[in-house]
Amino acid sequence: MAPSMRDVQLTEVAGDGAGEEVRLLDSYDEEEEKLGDNLRRIQVRVTGMTCAACSNSVEGALMSINGVVKATVALLQNKADVIFDPSLVKDDEITNAIEDAGFEAELLSEPTASRTNPHGTVVGQFIIGGMTCAACVNSVEGILKQLPGVRKAVVALATSLGEVEYDPSIISKDDIASAIEDAGFEASFVQSSEQDKIVLGVVGISGEMDAQLLEGILSKLHGVKHFLFDRVSNELEVVFDPEVLGPRSLVDGVEGGSSGKFKLLVKNPYTRMASRDLEESSKMFRLFTASLSLSVPVILMRVVCPQIPLLYALLIWQCGPFQMGDWLKWALVTVVQFGIGKRFYVAAGRALRNGSTNMDVLVALGTTASYVYSVCALLYGAISGFWSPTYFETSAMLITFVLLGKYLETLAKGKTSGAIKKLVELAPATAILLVKDKGGKVVGEREIDALLIQAGDILKVLPGTKVPMDGVVVWGSSHVNESMVTGESAPVLKEINSVVIGGTINLHGSLHIQATKVGSNTVLSQIISLVETAQMSKAPIQKFADYIASIFVPVVVTMSLLTFFGWYVAGVLGGYPEEWLPENGNYFVFSLMFAISVVVIACPCALGLATPTAVMVATGVGANNGVLIKGGDALEMAQKIRYVIFDKTGTLTQGKAKVTTAKVFTEMDRGEFLTLVASAEASSEHPLAKAIMEYARHFHFFDEPSDNGGFQSYSEQAKFSGWLQDVSDFSVLPGKGVQCSIDGKWVLIGNRKLLTENGIAIPSNVENFVVELEESAKTGILVARDNVVIGALGIADPLKREAAVVVEGLIKMGVQPIMVTGDNWRTARAVAKEVGIHDVRAEVLPAGKAEVIRSFQKGGSVVAMVGDGINDSPALAAADVGMAIGAGTDIAIEAAEYVLMRSNLEDVITAIDLSRKTFARIRWNYIFAMAYNVIAIPVAAGVFFPLLRLELPPWVAGACMAMSSVSVVCSSLYLKRYKKPRLTTILLEITIE
């Protein structure tokens, strides 16, 4: 099944920049904080938070409680993690403090992982048809949130999607769809976060007997919980127990049970959504062309035919009580009004029943007024002989233009969601499965649907084909193009034990890959989830537009009534001459046309599209440029960034520590010294230990370290190579180093703090050597044996090539860069000087980075944090805008609002620049959305008619209303032309290609 919108994570990608931060200051990371025996930990669900300021408020309220030791608030997960002393504070006091801060609090029964939904809820997606404006969105959201069992509901106008978090034990997806339909809209279920559900297309069903055979096979399959077969669409939905039955086993069981009669095809939810988009677009085009073909003759009869004597004579031929032209107009417009325009009446009626108003109400009101008046004018003329003008063409053309606008919107919406379609197209449709016998020997090959791959499968990937799923190479060697996922253009060598990503292209040799992550756990699926989640989100600026739209319809109706009564009363009282009236017209008709024009032109449909369409395009453009944006709120905050705080290791630097210097201060042989150090570090899994092991190995065997091998493989090989010494009493001292016993002698390897705490004096020549290393941006590691310093190692982490240019570019953009690191001051200052950062905070522990961020936020400035490691997560969450570098870690990515997939600092500038241009476009969108209304409403109301005889016929007002929506969507689509700033021009000025 497709990934859940809530199950969002990214898997670590092999390559530069991936991995956790290596703090060079104290040489070793501190262990994760552990709870004391007298402390308790709970998690609280917090509802109502919209930004980092909200999470800070909740955090502050919790920390002010006596007895609370630590409180961390996760804005994205709407959760607070609280560690407290139960003897001093109770659970309800914690929830009360959150509620007193202005938010809703719900105690979770136990800490839950961020990738699971509390209380067994699932997240379902529904396609919602018929929404035309922000008022429709508000109506649907309001009704969904009132349903029992629904915890959260978000509806996106631009994508026509609704995301509902609900408890399936209380309410079903069918109940939710029915509620949406009762609100006046169309609804169909797309997918849910349940991983034990699959939708299949069935080929081979030709009658009732076949359907019964299918049901019989499914009933006998062990592990099938329940199923539903739609005999109209031939779609089969199956819920199964994944511990008993896999999706491929399910398909094989059905196809085998039918002796090959049935063929099952997995339905990709995104493909189904795309087909529905195409179907909606085709439907709107058919309605528009039908309405146009019937409306054009009505216009021709009014404008062109009077100029052609023969045709005009036919039209004025008396046929019963009416002329032939009147009969034709009435017949044609009736079909348009109640046949093609039926959808407006149905939607308007349902909306009114639910106490809401939307664009359909205005369209139904305007067209009905002109149609009913025209019919009444004909009947009154037949009875009294006094013939008033009719306005059948007004209602016909109004419906036509509204349908034109809707058709163009569907086309534009399809373009705005193009990023997701492109991502989906990266995944291959099929895969070659290697079939093994019970002994594990390959006995054949089988082509299967890529959506049926199961974890543990061995897949064959031929040259020139796409890797079908995330996995590990178990045989073969080749270069793989990963640019479509990571953005890196250079092919990456893949050998045994190398990690590969689904959707990337195998260039040369054949590979055998063991699938490790399938379904929603793959990198590609999670990228799709991030983009889709962002397109579903609402920027804070949209809340104002939603509020305006929610009250707009009643305001418009009121304005229309005031316009009608104003003109009518003025006419009756002699306020304007009768020559202003149309031929055979009266004050009522004259006033009614102005009122109808106001109703039509004032419709706020474009207002609701202004923000979401721009956000959709921006997230798609960002994804194409390697920048994943989690939502409109992130975009809005990023354009206000004043400070960017960089972590050092793995962010400004490459995160690949290498030993550059090894110096012995005693008579010990250099090789013996390196063997001693390597023996001690062989038991450690720290990245610096890997660097030391690689250096020592190269010294002894002249082996070049391989980037493809992990540290564990190096250490394991080293342990059995025979050149290392035996180690006992080994232990890691977080933030200091390691200690152990070798040949009965006590060995310490670490920083100054480790040695001084053990009473070991550091000679001046050693101190001078270490200071020299630190001033050259290297980290000094001291080695002592039996309380005597015997040597030191210099470890360097090269800067990323683009770091200095990016820092200077940010300064030119008006953004101040700051570096916060756990390394020592000398190393930190040396690195900062090299990249051009003037504000440095060194020797800062992971938890302290969040405090540094808060110090800058106190002045009201928007602060961004750029980091990559687990210990950056608190800072990423505390920042107004968190930017996770590269694949990074799952925890860091959960905490960030932006994910920079390429591990390239240039994307920090791209993220800020794209955000600024997006909100500049949103402002233009609001101008386009409101300009038609602000300028045309006075004209439609007849304000300029007394002086200029300027009026806006209702059908022209309908054209303007349709064009307002089209203008907004086209304005948003202009963002697709975005080009990120070029690195070569950043030094001069921030420009685009």
Side-chain angles (χ1 to χ4, degrees):
M1 294 295 291
S4 163
M5 298 284 291
R6 293 175 58 86
D7 297 344
V8 177
Q9 63 175 4
L10 291 179
T11 308
E12 183 174 346
V13 180
D16 295 350
E20 299 173 8
E21 177 184 2
V22 184
R23 284 180 46 241
L24 294 180
L25 158 67
D26 293 328
S27 304
Y28 296 89
D29 292 330
E30 293 196 29
E31 290 183 334
E32 184 179 355
E33 179 182 16
K34 295 182 179 179
L35 293 176
D37 294 336
N38 61 331
L39 297 181
R40 183 165 168 246
R41 184 178 202 162
I42 63 170
Q43 287 189 348
V44 184
R45 187 174 186 84
V46 184
T47 305
M49 296 188 297
T50 57
C51 62
C54 298
S55 61
N56 292 340
S57 298
V58 176
E59 226 171 79
L62 291 171
M63 291 303 298
S64 65
I65 303 174
N66 182 31
V68 172
V69 177
K70 182 179 179 181
T72 304
V73 178
L75 176 62
L76 293 179
Q77 286 76 41
N78 292 317
K79 289 193 300 185
D81 188 278
V82 187
I83 299 174
F84 63 99
D85 186 342
S87 65
L88 299 176
V89 63
K90 305 301 181 185
D91 294 0
D92 56 352
E93 294 179 58
I94 294 175
T95 56
N96 290 338
I98 297 174
E99 291 172 350
D100 291 341
F103 304 91
E104 297 179 9
E106 177 187 359
L107 184 66
L108 300 180
S109 57
E110 59 181 20
T112 55
S114 62
R115 294 187 295 273
T116 60
N117 293 322
H119 305 295
T121 61
V122 297
V123 178
Q125 282 188 349
F126 298 82
I127 289 181
I128 304 174
M131 295 190 298
T132 53
C133 60
C136 302
V137 172
N138 295 336
S139 176
V140 176
E141 281 187 356
I143 289 173
L144 288 174
K145 290 176 181 178
Q146 295 174 3
L147 295 176
V150 172
R151 298 185 179 277
K152 182 181 178 182
V154 179
V155 177
L157 175 63
T159 58
S160 297
L161 278 177
E163 179 183 300
V164 185
E165 181 184 339
Y166 64 97
D167 187 340
S169 65
I170 300 175
I171 189 171
S172 69
K173 65 180 185 298
D174 296 329
D175 295 332
I176 295 174
S178 297
I180 296 173
E181 292 172 350
D182 289 341
F185 305 93
E186 300 172 2
S188 59
F189 177 76
V190 180
Q191 61 180 343
S192 78
S193 58
E194 295 176 291
Q195 298 301 306
D196 57 353
K197 184 179 296 183
I198 189 171
V199 179
L200 304 162
V202 184
V203 179
I205 301 290
S206 57
E208 183 65 25
M209 294 295 294
D210 291 334
Q212 292 178 4
L213 174 60
L214 175 63
E215 293 175 359
I217 295 172
L218 288 168
S219 300
K220 295 176 182 178
L221 277 179
H222 185 54
V224 173
K225 294 180 179 179
H226 59 83
F227 57 88
L228 177 64
F229 178 60
D230 188 336
R231 303 190 183 187
V232 176
S233 62
N234 280 344
E235 282 191 354
L236 173 66
E237 181 181 288
V238 184
V239 176
F240 58 93
D241 185 350
E243 296 183 0
V244 178
L245 186 67
R248 189 169 69 248
S249 302
L250 170 63
V251 171
D252 291 345
V254 174
E255 292 183 347
S258 66
S259 301
K261 180 177 179 60
F262 301 146
K263 178 68 176 177
L264 270 59
L265 306 174
V266 183
K267 294 287 187 176
N268 189 318
Y270 295 103
T271 304
R272 295 166 67 208
M273 289 167 59
S275 64
R276 284 189 173 97
D277 290 341
L278 181 61
E279 182 181 344
E280 181 187 5
S281 180
S282 300
K283 179 181 178 181
M284 294 309 303
F285 180 74
R286 289 195 301 270
L287 289 174
F288 163 68
T289 53
S291 181
L292 181 65
S293 62
L294 295 175
S295 300
V296 168
V298 178
I299 296 294
L300 294 177
M301 281 188 278
R302 184 180 184 92
V303 179
V304 178
C305 291
Q307 311 303 321
I308 304 175
L310 182 61
L311 292 178
Y312 186 65
L314 179 63
L315 292 178
I316 63 174
W317 175 51
Q318 195 71 24
C319 183
F322 309 125
Q323 295 177 349
M324 179 59 70
D326 295 327
W327 283 112
L328 291 175
K329 291 179 183 178
W330 191 353
L332 292 172
V333 175
T334 298
V335 175
V336 175
Q337 185 73 30
F338 300 107
I340 299 173
K342 176 184 176 182
R343 63 189 309 273
F344 298 111
Y345 284 101
V346 173
R350 289 177 176 173
L352 292 173
R353 284 201 306 272
N354 286 282
S356 61
T357 53
N358 55 24
M359 191 193 78
D360 298 304
V361 174
L362 295 181
V363 173
L365 184 62
T367 57
T368 301
S370 60
Y371 177 84
V372 170
Y373 164 76
S374 299
V375 173
C376 291
L378 283 180
L379 296 176
Y380 181 75
I383 296 172
S384 65
F386 181 80
W387 298 94
S388 299
T390 59
Y391 294 93
F392 283 117
E393 69 279 354
T394 295
S395 58
M397 291 307 298
L398 176 54
I399 290 176
T400 301
F401 280 122
V402 171
L403 293 174
L404 172 62
K406 290 303 300 175
Y407 169 63
L408 295 176
E409 283 177 28
T410 58
L411 290 180
K413 287 179 184 179
K415 291 182 179 180
T416 58
S417 59
I420 291 179
K421 294 178 182 177
K422 288 181 180 179
L423 289 169
V424 173
E425 290 169 358
L426 290 178
T430 60
I432 300 176
L433 175 69
L434 296 180
V435 182
K436 295 184 176 183
D437 58 18
K438 294 182 179 179
K441 182 180 179 181
V442 176
V443 295
E445 299 176 359
R446 173 189 173 193
E447 187 176 71
I448 63 171
D449 192 309
L451 295 174
L452 295 177
I453 297 174
Q454 299 174 171
D457 286 346
I458 305 297
L459 308 167
K460 182 178 181 180
V461 185
L462 299 174
T465 62
K466 293 180 180 179
V467 176
M469 200 64 64
D470 293 3
V472 177
V473 177
V474 295
W475 180 87
S477 174
S478 180
H479 282 81
V480 174
N481 182 359
E482 297 182 340
S483 61
M484 61 286 300
V485 176
T486 66
E488 294 294 338
S489 57
V492 180
L493 176 64
K494 300 295 181 181
E495 299 175 317
I496 294 177
N497 294 328
S498 296
V499 175
V500 292
I501 308 169
T504 57
I505 300 176
N506 180 28
L507 298 179
H508 305 299
S510 294
L511 295 173
H512 290 181
I513 297 171
Q514 183 174 26
T516 56
K517 296 190 176 182
V518 298
S520 63
N521 293 322
T522 64
V523 171
L524 187 59
S525 293
Q526 291 159 13
I527 292 175
I528 294 172
S529 284
L530 281 174
V531 175
E532 193 176 39
T533 301
Q535 295 185 347
M536 283 287 296
S537 69
K538 294 184 179 181
I541 193 175
Q542 190 177 341
K543 294 179 180 178
F544 175 73
D546 288 348
Y547 172 74
I548 295 297
S550 65
I551 64 173
F552 215 82
V553 175
V555 170
V556 168
V557 174
T558 302
M559 290 172 56
S560 177
L561 292 175
L562 291 176
T563 299
F564 173 77
F565 285 112
W567 279 105
Y568 184 74
V569 172
V572 171
L573 298 179
Y576 54 83
E578 290 189 4
E579 54 264 25
W580 287 5
L581 302 179
E583 183 180 357
N584 294 330
N586 53 42
Y587 297 124
F588 179 85
V589 176
F590 187 65
S591 305
L592 182 62
M593 290 302 101
F594 284 121
I596 293 175
S597 295
V598 170
V599 167
V600 174
I601 195 60
C603 183
C605 54
L607 194 64
L609 295 171
T611 299
T613 52
V615 170
M616 283 187 66
V617 177
T619 52
V621 168
N624 291 335
N625 285 279
V627 178
L628 300 182
I629 308 167
K630 287 193 176 179
D633 52 347
L635 273 168
E636 184 161 351
M637 292 301 294
Q639 51 120 13
K640 303 175 184 176
I641 291 174
R642 177 68 181 86
Y643 298 98
V644 173
I645 295 179
F646 288 98
D647 166 56
K648 180 176 76 69
T649 307
T651 302
L652 289 172
T653 66
Q654 295 178 12
K656 289 185 175 181
K658 295 183 178 180
V659 177
T660 60
T661 306
K663 187 167 185 178
V664 184
F665 296 104
T666 64
E667 298 300 324
M668 180 182 290
D669 177 76
R670 183 183 180 87
E672 183 183 352
F673 170 74
L674 289 176
T675 300
L676 178 74
V677 175
S679 299
E681 294 289 5
S683 298
S684 172
E685 294 188 359
H686 195 276
L688 291 184
K690 172 185 174 179
I692 294 172
M693 286 293 299
E694 287 178 343
Y695 185 82
R697 181 186 181 89
H698 177 65
F699 177 85
H700 283 289
F701 304 106
F702 299 99
D703 282 349
E704 290 293 342
S706 170
D707 289 337
N708 292 324
F711 168 73
Q712 188 65 29
S713 62
Y714 276 109
S715 62
E716 289 298 327
Q717 293 173 20
K719 287 177 182 177
F720 298 103
S721 62
W723 64 281
L724 296 178
Q725 300 174 355
D726 293 332
V727 174
S728 60
D729 299 325
F730 174 85
S731 63
V732 176
L733 304 173
K736 302 173 186 177
V738 299
Q739 63 183 14
C740 65
S741 177
I742 299 179
D743 291 337
K745 297 181 179 181
W746 199 243
V747 178
L748 299 175
I749 304 176
N751 55 19
R752 292 184 184 89
K753 187 176 182 180
L754 175 64
L755 271 62
T756 55
E757 286 183 355
N758 283 273
I760 301 175
I762 303 175
S764 58
N765 63 322
V766 177
E767 177 65 25
N768 292 337
F769 177 74
V770 174
V771 169
E772 184 179 343
L773 289 174
E774 293 171 345
E775 289 179 345
S776 60
K778 299 175 183 177
T779 297
I781 303 296
L782 298 170
V783 182
R785 184 174 66 171
D786 279 352
N787 297 325
V788 177
V789 179
I790 61 173
L793 299 168
I795 300 181
D797 186 5
L799 285 171
K800 291 182 178 177
R801 62 175 182 81
E802 73 277 7
V805 179
V806 169
V807 166
E808 186 170 351
L810 288 171
I811 294 173
K812 290 183 178 293
M813 295 175 74
V815 178
Q816 182 177 341
I818 301 163
M819 188 177 79
V820 179
T821 178
D823 218 332
N824 63 75
W825 277 100
R826 288 193 186 93
T827 303
R829 277 194 289 262
V831 172
K833 182 179 179 180
E834 195 170 346
V835 299
I837 294 179
H838 305 293
D839 193 340
V840 182
R841 311 296 167 95
E843 299 183 3
V844 179
L845 295 178
K849 293 180 181 179
E851 295 302 322
V852 172
I853 290 173
R854 293 189 183 98
S855 68
F856 285 98
Q857 290 173 330
K858 288 180 180 178
S861 299
V862 176
V863 181
M865 169 69 192
V866 185
D868 71 319
I870 289 177
N871 52 7
D872 290 328
S873 300
L876 289 168
D880 299 293
V881 180
M883 297 184 181
I885 282 287
T889 61
D890 293 347
I891 297 176
I893 289 167
E894 285 287 342
E897 284 77 31
Y898 282 74
V899 180
L900 312 181
M901 286 297 297
R902 303 188 309 154
S903 301
N904 194 316
L905 292 178
E906 296 174 53
D907 293 337
V908 175
I909 287 180
T910 301
I912 298 174
D913 184 62
L914 177 59
S915 301
R916 291 180 177 180
K917 286 183 169 55
T918 298
F919 268 80
R921 185 55 48 185
I922 287 175
R923 294 184 186 100
W924 274 108
N925 285 354
Y926 281 118
I927 292 175
F928 286 128
M930 299 302 296
Y932 291 90
N933 303 80
V934 173
I935 295 174
I937 284 178
V939 179
V943 172
F944 303 106
F945 187 81
L947 294 177
L948 305 175
R949 298 296 186 272
L950 182 63
E951 61 179 330
L952 195 69
W955 69 273
V956 176
C960 292
M961 181 203 66
M963 288 307 300
S964 67
S965 297
V966 175
S967 299
V968 165
V969 175
C970 290
S971 173
S972 294
L973 288 174
Y974 188 78
L975 279 171
K976 293 177 74 71
R977 297 169 58 89
Y978 173 83
K979 299 293 182 181
K980 63 182 180 179
R982 292 184 300 181
L983 190 63
T984 54
T985 62
I986 288 176
L987 289 176
L988 302 176
E989 59 180 338
I990 300 298
T991 59
I992 62 172
E993 295 178 341

